Amino acid sequence: MIDSYRFGNIVIDGEGYSSDVLILPSGVKTWWRRRGHELSPEDLDDVLAGNSEVLVIGTGAYAMVHIPPEVEEFLKSRGLEIVVEATDKACDSYNRLCRSGKVAAALHLTC
């Protein structure tokens, strides 16, 4: 569960993080995108290697992370339901969805 989020900081199950994170069924990992604020399939290798059914993408406090349509289509073709929101809303969505299934999250914590 995500305990709290504010610009640049997130607390997950009591542990604080100040870098972008992937929340996987197997645990939390710090996360970095190869192209800065543009998501590519390679940025989600850990998610794709798991057995998640839903991926919640937090695009930042000001929604600066861009998900190209071809990346969204690629993820859907791999069987993932995609939820894309600014990170504050994405945290709420993750908490709601994680109770009902195999959910992963990719969260940009700043802009």
Side-chain angles (χ1 to χ4, degrees), residues 67-82:
I67 298 97
E70 60 272 14
V71 172
E72 195 165 334
E73 286 305 314
F74 170 77
L75 295 170
K76 288 178 182 177
S77 76
R78 299 292 298 265
L80 285 168
E81 178 185 335
I82 308 299

Side-chain angles (χ1 to χ4, degrees), residues 3-108:
D3 302 320
S4 66
Y5 163 73
R6 62 180 166 77
F7 187 94
N9 188 279
I10 193 165
V11 178
I12 303 164
D13 293 328
E15 180 91 21
Y17 301 87
S18 58
S19 297
D20 294 356
V21 294
L22 289 176
I23 306 174
L24 306 166
S26 60
V28 179
K29 297 179 76 170
T30 58
W31 178 54
W32 190 249
R33 290 156 313 285
R34 289 169 175 84
R35 295 186 215 153
H37 285 104
E38 183 172 292
L39 195 65
S40 66
E42 300 83 27
D43 298 329
L44 299 168
D45 285 344
D46 291 321
V47 173
L48 296 170
N51 59 352
S52 297
E53 297 169 354
V54 179
L55 173 60
V56 178
I57 301 172
T59 59
Y62 308 115
M64 296 300 291
V65 172
H66 172 67
I67 298 97
E70 60 272 14
V71 172
E72 195 165 334
E73 286 305 314
F74 170 77
L75 295 170
K76 288 178 182 177
S77 76
R78 299 292 298 265
L80 285 168
E81 178 185 335
I82 308 299
V83 177
V84 178
E85 300 173 313
T87 300
D88 59 343
K89 291 185 168 114
C91 290
D92 292 339
S93 293
Y94 175 82
N95 281 345
R96 185 180 72 255
L97 293 167
C98 74
R99 296 175 184 162
S100 62
K102 298 175 183 172
V103 180
L107 303 172
H108 179 52

